[in-house]
């Protein structure tokens, strides 16, 4: 830094960029936003990602959940056994039969930050929403928001637009039963082209009923109800038969269900005050540790934790008076106690499992024997792989680091620090070959997007043991890149995206990768981490505007089509004589500039689901098993030859 001694002014500062015009920074640059403006400007702080409804964690489902949570809290406090929910593609209506919002505070509850009944532990002892933010976020992010409360023969209604009060009614007499009515339509300018989808709403509704035995939720006229709590949850979600009847333990403020299945990995469903903590937290960590310790002591054997928990399927739900979550979206419990003078969450869960699980195993010897057989089977397989595993780990490390099979990003999903929303945006693209990897690598976000390049077709792993994961170079390196060998808690990327060519070979590679994940890491799929990247099949160029020099950017002259219907629609729009059609056969044919739009924030992803009704074992056996003749006959019987002459 050089100082002019005559004026004592700074002529050059190493923190400034030479050649850049000076930026004024004054009182005028300091702005104060009201609560509506702040939520609409920074919605991610309140609801996580935005999205368009094609993902289970998209913002419109968070809005739905924020409204439902208030109704569930009423039920948990002993008021109202029925909640009616109606959902169209764009609008949600929720009517509960709880106590109803105090009429004089109806507008404040919907439109005044840090206002709510949950600051008073007497009114809401163990609620998931404690900050008075959720319903205000729904209001601010909706073009139409109406809230109506009925209390003891009186009713009041308030309507809003983007958080601004439009109309507030007087208190009127009514014969309606007590409760609260909320209707909202998310703002399409924020949640662009969104649609609510049953495939994400129904599991949410089911979880509410599993966690609140006796509660009825009527969704679009269909009633959801649970008699057995977490036992029903396991039955709903397990894709393989349990090895023994699920252990069901419950006490004040805690309920757990535990069993094992013939599958790899660990599968958990954890909840705090009805909130599905998809990323776990202190309660789940305490649960896993307590199960491990209790089993070791019961059998008087020093089993490895991985052997005890391999194949486990379990659910744990607790109620905490002062939960502390890592973000507003409440997907991971940070800390909390069971009450002002109660134990920590970890001690409470640990003591309960040690006492109740030990008692259960002593009283149910058949279950104890079945559990022991599964643990010993896992132990034998692990020891058989011991030598292979050590060599494979070193080999995978060398392959990923020295051969640059993995082009990593700088932020990872399993980081303990940093913005949770940024960590949730981390992804890894699994591509076939260097060509496709090169295109993605040139335009990816190096902070959050990694690339893993396959070499040729992976092995068909159906029917093989996990030993093949270590013996096969591709699977070994992929497992190491994802960091999922020991636990999914160490997963380095939130989204594992299969990005293969849109041709027969690409589809085959996609199936081989899906078989690998479904066989050895099914919970990676069940937790919603595995996706398939949609890439365009066609590019339709309007040659008329291009030739006349009237191009106004890519969108004005080029349409990328992901299906045959989209291709025909694009041709009809520009005219058959003006349409130049390009068929993309491989990702390597798509230039980096074109790829930029396909892997950005609005990229098209198909989430891979694994549900009980999918019959995945039968599907894998048929398509990936050794029944070659059956598949050949199936292809012959279902072969359709279409006329593609219009592409020429």
């Amino acid at each position: 830094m050089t100082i002019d001694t005559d004026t004592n002014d700074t002529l050059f500062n190493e923190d400034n960029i030479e050649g850049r015009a000076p930026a004024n920074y004054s009182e005028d640059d300091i702005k104060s936003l009201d609560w509506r403006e702040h939520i609409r400007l920074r919605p991610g702080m309140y609801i996580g990602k935005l999205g368009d409804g094609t993902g289970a964690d998209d913002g419109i489902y968070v809005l739905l959940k924020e409204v439902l949570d208030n109704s569930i809290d009423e039920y948990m406090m002993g008021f109202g056994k029925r909640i009616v929910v109606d959902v169209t593609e764009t609008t949600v209506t929720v009517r509960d039969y709880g106590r109803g919002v105090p009429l004089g505070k109806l507008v404040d509850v919907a439109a005044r930050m840090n206002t709510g009944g949950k600051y008073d532990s007497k009114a809401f002892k163990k609620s998931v929403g404690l900050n008075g933010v959720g319903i205000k976020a729904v209001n601010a992010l909706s073009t139409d928001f109406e809230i109506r409360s009925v209390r003891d023969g009186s009713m009041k209604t308030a309507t809003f637009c983007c958080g601004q009060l439009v109309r507030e009614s007087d208190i009127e007499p009514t014969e309606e039963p007590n409760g609260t009515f909320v209707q909202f339509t998310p703002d399409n300018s924020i949640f662009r082209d969104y649609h609510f989808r049953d495939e994400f709403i129904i599991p949410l509704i089911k979880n509410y009923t599993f966690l609140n035995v006796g509660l009825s939720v009527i969704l679009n006229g269909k009633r959801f109800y649970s008699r057995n709590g977490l036992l029903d949850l396991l039955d709903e979600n397990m894709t393989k038969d349990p090895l023994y009847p699920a252990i069901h333990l419950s006490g004040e403020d805690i309920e757990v269900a535990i069993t094992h299945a013939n599958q790899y990995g660990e599968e958990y469903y954890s909840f705090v005050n009805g909130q599905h903590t998809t990323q776990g937290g202190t309660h789940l960590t305490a649960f896993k540790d307590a199960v491990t310790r209790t089993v070791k002591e019961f059998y008087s054997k020093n089993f490895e934790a991985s052997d005890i928990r391999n194949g486990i399927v379990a659910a744990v739900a607790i109620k905490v008076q002062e939960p502390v979550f890592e973000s507003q979206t409440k997907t991971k419990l940070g800390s909390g106690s069971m009450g002002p003078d109660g134990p920590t969450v970890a001690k409470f869960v640990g003591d309960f499992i040690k006492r109740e699980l030990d008692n259960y195993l002593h009283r149910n010897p058949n279950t104890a024997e079945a559990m022991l057989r599964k643990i010993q089977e896992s132990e034998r397989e692990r020891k058989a792989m011991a030598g292979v595993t050590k060599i494979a780990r070193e080999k995978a490390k060398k392959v990923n680091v020295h051969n640059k099979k993995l082009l990593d990003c700088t932020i990872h999903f399993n980081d303990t620090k940093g913005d949770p929303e940024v960590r949730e945006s981390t992804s890894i693209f699994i591509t076939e070959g260097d060509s496709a990897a090169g295109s993605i690598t040139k335009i990816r976000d190096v902070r959050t997007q990694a690339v893993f390049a396959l070499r040729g077709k992976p092995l068909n792993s159906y029917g093989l043991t996990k030993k093949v994961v270590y013996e096969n170079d591709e699977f070994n390196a992929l497992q190491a890149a994802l960091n999922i060998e020991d636990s999914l808690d160490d997963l380095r990327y939130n989204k594992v995206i299969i990005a293969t060519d849109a041709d027969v070979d690409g589809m085959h590679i996609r199936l081989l990768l899906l078989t690998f994940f479904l066989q050895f890491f099914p919970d990676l799929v069940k937790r919603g981490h595995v996706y398939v990247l949609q890439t365009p099949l066609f590019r339709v160029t309007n040659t008329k505007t291009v030739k006349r020099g009237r191009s106004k950017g890519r969108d004005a002259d080029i349409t990328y089509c992901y299906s045959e219907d989209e291709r025909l629609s694009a041709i009809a729009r520009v005219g058959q004589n003006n349409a130049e059609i390009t068929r993309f056969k491989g990702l390597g044919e798509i230039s980096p500039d074109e790829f930029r739009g396909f892997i950005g924030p609005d990229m098209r992803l198909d989430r891979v689901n694994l549900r009980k009704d999918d019959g995945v074992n039968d599907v894998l056996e048929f398509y990936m098993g050794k029944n070659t003749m059956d598949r050949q006959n199936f292809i012959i019987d279902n072969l359709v030859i279409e006329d593609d002459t219009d592409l020429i």
Side-chain angles (χ1 to χ4, degrees):
M1 182 171 68
T2 305
I3 302 294
D4 183 332
T5 55
D6 293 330
T7 62
N8 202 35
D9 289 338
T10 302
L11 298 180
F12 176 75
N13 189 304
E14 61 186 3
D15 292 330
N16 293 330
I17 299 176
E18 187 176 358
R20 176 176 291 179
N24 293 326
Y25 180 55
S26 65
E27 289 84 353
D28 293 336
D29 296 305
I30 306 298
K31 299 183 183 299
S32 296
L33 303 178
D34 71 13
W35 69 273
R36 294 174 295 271
E37 293 173 315
H38 192 268
I39 292 175
R40 291 177 64 81
L41 183 66
R42 298 285 186 266
M45 291 179 60
Y46 300 90
I47 63 168
K49 61 178 288 191
L50 296 178
D52 59 3
T54 56
D57 57 347
D58 283 357
I60 59 171
Y61 303 114
V62 178
L63 300 186
L64 167 60
K65 190 180 170 309
E66 292 288 359
V67 176
L68 278 171
D69 281 344
N70 291 333
S71 298
I72 295 297
D73 287 338
E74 283 293 308
Y75 174 79
M76 291 173 63
M77 291 301 297
F79 301 93
K81 294 184 177 180
R82 180 167 60 103
I83 302 171
V84 179
V85 183
D86 291 297
V87 183
T88 68
E89 285 193 341
T90 58
T91 300
V92 171
T93 304
V94 177
R95 172 63 156 101
D96 68 41
Y97 295 87
R99 291 166 291 184
V101 177
L103 303 186
K105 293 291 186 179
L106 185 66
V107 172
D108 287 350
V109 163
R112 187 173 181 181
M113 291 296 279
N114 304 318
T115 300
K118 297 171 187 177
Y119 300 107
D120 180 1
S121 61
K122 295 178 181 178
F124 292 93
K125 290 184 179 179
K126 290 170 182 176
S127 165
V128 68
L130 297 174
N131 300 317
V133 173
I135 197 73
K136 286 83 168 176
V138 180
N139 188 358
L141 298 173
S142 298
T143 50
D144 295 289
F145 179 91
E146 178 180 338
I147 182 169
R148 181 167 69 246
S149 178
V150 179
R151 285 175 69 96
D152 304 325
S154 297
M155 176 177 69
K156 183 172 182 176
T157 303
T159 58
F160 300 81
C161 176
C162 301
Q164 293 279 4
L165 180 65
V166 175
R167 186 179 68 87
E168 178 183 0
S169 75
D170 295 329
I171 297 177
E172 304 168 348
T174 182
E175 294 183 359
E176 285 192 34
N178 286 355
T180 304
F181 168 100
V182 174
Q183 184 176 83
F184 68 93
T185 301
D187 189 340
N188 195 54
S189 68
I190 295 175
F191 308 95
R192 295 187 182 279
D193 301 320
Y194 74 89
H195 294 287
F196 285 100
R197 289 166 169 78
D198 285 348
E199 62 184 292
F200 303 121
I201 296 175
I202 290 176
L204 176 66
I205 297 297
K206 286 182 176 179
N207 281 344
Y208 278 123
T209 61
F210 296 146
L211 296 167
N212 298 277
V213 173
L215 171 69
S216 292
V217 180
I218 295 88
L219 173 63
N220 292 340
K222 183 176 180 181
R223 179 173 178 260
F224 293 88
Y225 180 88
S226 173
R227 295 183 183 275
N228 304 301
L230 294 186
L231 287 180
D232 290 338
L233 184 147
L234 289 194
D235 182 65
E236 173 74 22
N237 288 281
M238 289 186 67
T239 53
K240 291 194 174 183
D241 293 334
L243 296 177
Y244 52 86
I247 301 169
H248 192 202
L249 309 172
S250 61
E252 184 177 358
D253 295 332
I254 187 169
E255 179 186 4
V256 301
I258 310 167
T259 189
H260 281 80
N262 274 325
Q263 62 185 40
Y264 289 102
E266 305 171 30
E267 184 176 336
Y268 299 104
Y269 303 89
S270 67
F271 304 85
V272 175
N273 295 1
Q275 166 67 34
H276 190 185
T277 45
T278 54
Q279 295 182 35
T282 53
H283 60 312
L284 183 57
T285 299
F287 172 78
K288 292 191 287 187
D289 290 344
V291 168
T292 300
R293 288 194 304 270
T294 303
V295 168
K296 285 182 178 181
E297 292 174 6
F298 176 79
Y299 295 110
S300 298
K301 291 183 179 293
N302 191 28
F303 289 123
E304 291 282 339
S306 60
D307 296 332
I308 293 172
R309 303 200 299 248
N310 183 41
I312 194 173
V313 185
V316 54
I318 64 171
K319 295 177 182 178
V320 182
Q321 195 160 55
E322 294 291 338
V324 178
F325 296 98
E326 288 199 355
S327 69
Q328 173 62 24
T329 52
K330 307 181 184 77
T331 55
K332 187 174 184 179
L333 182 67
S335 62
S337 64
M338 304 310 295
D341 301 316
T344 63
V345 167
K347 186 177 189 322
F348 173 77
V349 174
D351 290 347
F352 175 83
I353 293 298
K354 176 178 174 56
R355 179 179 66 253
E356 298 299 329
L357 180 57
D358 183 77
N359 288 342
Y360 188 96
L361 293 175
H362 276 100
R363 294 169 183 167
N364 296 270
N366 291 339
T367 295
E369 289 177 10
M371 181 185 288
L372 179 60
R373 285 195 297 271
K374 173 59 178 173
I375 295 171
Q376 290 174 330
E377 178 186 313
S378 298
E379 183 181 51
R380 286 192 296 270
E381 183 174 351
R382 177 182 56 80
K383 289 181 176 179
M385 293 193 306
V388 176
T389 303
K390 183 177 180 180
I391 297 172
R393 282 179 172 173
E394 291 300 317
K395 190 172 184 179
K397 183 178 179 180
K398 291 178 180 178
V399 168
N400 283 325
V401 174
H402 299 301
N403 293 356
K404 291 184 170 56
K405 178 181 283 289
L406 171 67
L407 299 172
D408 208 357
C409 50
T410 57
I411 300 173
H412 297 103
F413 186 52
N414 61 348
D415 290 341
T416 57
K417 298 180 180 179
D419 187 341
E421 279 71 37
V422 175
R423 298 204 307 268
E424 288 183 12
S425 69
T426 57
S427 56
I428 182 170
F429 296 93
I430 305 175
T431 68
E432 47 176 311
D434 294 331
S435 180
S439 295
I440 294 178
T441 300
K442 290 178 182 177
I443 46 82
R444 67 182 174 128
D445 182 344
V446 296
R447 296 183 314 140
T448 60
Q449 293 179 326
V451 181
F452 182 92
L454 292 168
R455 300 289 189 272
K457 287 187 178 181
L459 178 71
N460 180 2
S461 60
Y462 178 74
L464 303 179
T465 68
K466 201 171 184 179
K467 187 177 180 182
V468 72
V469 178
Y470 299 95
E471 293 179 331
N472 180 271
D473 289 344
E474 294 297 307
F475 290 155
N476 182 32
L478 178 57
Q479 174 185 246
L482 299 178
N483 199 35
I484 55 177
E485 178 181 0
D486 297 321
S487 170
L488 287 190
D489 294 340
D490 301 323
L491 178 66
R492 302 178 79 231
Y493 316 95
N494 187 31
K495 288 185 172 67
V496 180
I497 302 172
I498 300 173
T500 56
D501 291 344
D503 57 14
V504 174
D505 284 341
M507 287 292 292
H508 190 203
I509 292 174
R510 180 189 303 177
L511 288 174
L512 291 168
L513 287 171
L514 289 175
T515 301
F516 166 72
F517 288 127
L518 291 170
Q519 283 273 103
F520 304 116
F521 303 99
D523 200 29
L524 189 70
V525 178
K526 288 189 177 183
R527 291 191 191 182
H529 292 298
V530 181
Y531 294 81
V532 173
L533 176 68
Q534 288 189 37
T535 51
L537 297 173
F538 307 98
R539 179 180 61 210
V540 177
T541 305
N542 187 345
T543 57
K544 183 178 180 179
T545 57
V546 171
K547 289 178 181 178
R548 291 183 179 179
R550 292 165 52 192
S551 173
K552 294 182 180 180
R554 189 182 78 174
D555 293 337
D557 302 297
I558 298 176
T559 303
Y560 293 92
C561 308
Y562 293 78
S563 67
E564 178 67 8
D565 288 342
E566 290 186 16
R567 181 183 74 87
L568 294 175
S569 177
I571 293 173
R573 182 176 58 82
V574 303
Q576 180 72 47
N577 295 331
N578 299 324
E580 178 183 272
I581 305 166
T582 303
R583 171 67 164 94
F584 293 119
K585 294 184 178 180
L587 299 184
E589 298 177 355
I590 303 176
S591 69
D593 285 339
E594 288 178 304
F595 238 129
R596 193 181 307 278
F598 307 143
I599 67 167
D602 298 324
M603 61 181 163
R604 296 196 190 186
L605 296 176
D606 291 327
R607 175 181 166 181
V608 180
N609 293 306
L610 181 56
R611 296 177 292 256
K612 182 177 182 178
D613 296 337
D614 292 336
V616 66
N617 293 325
D618 294 336
V619 172
L620 286 178
E621 183 177 2
F622 180 82
Y623 288 104
M624 309 305 291
K626 299 184 180 299
N627 55 332
T628 306
M629 288 304 300
D630 290 341
R631 288 201 301 274
Q632 180 176 312
N633 292 332
F634 175 82
I635 293 171
I636 294 172
D637 294 340
N638 292 274
L639 182 64
V640 176
I641 300 177
E642 295 184 352
D643 184 4
D644 286 336
T645 55
D646 60 332
L647 285 176
I648 301 175

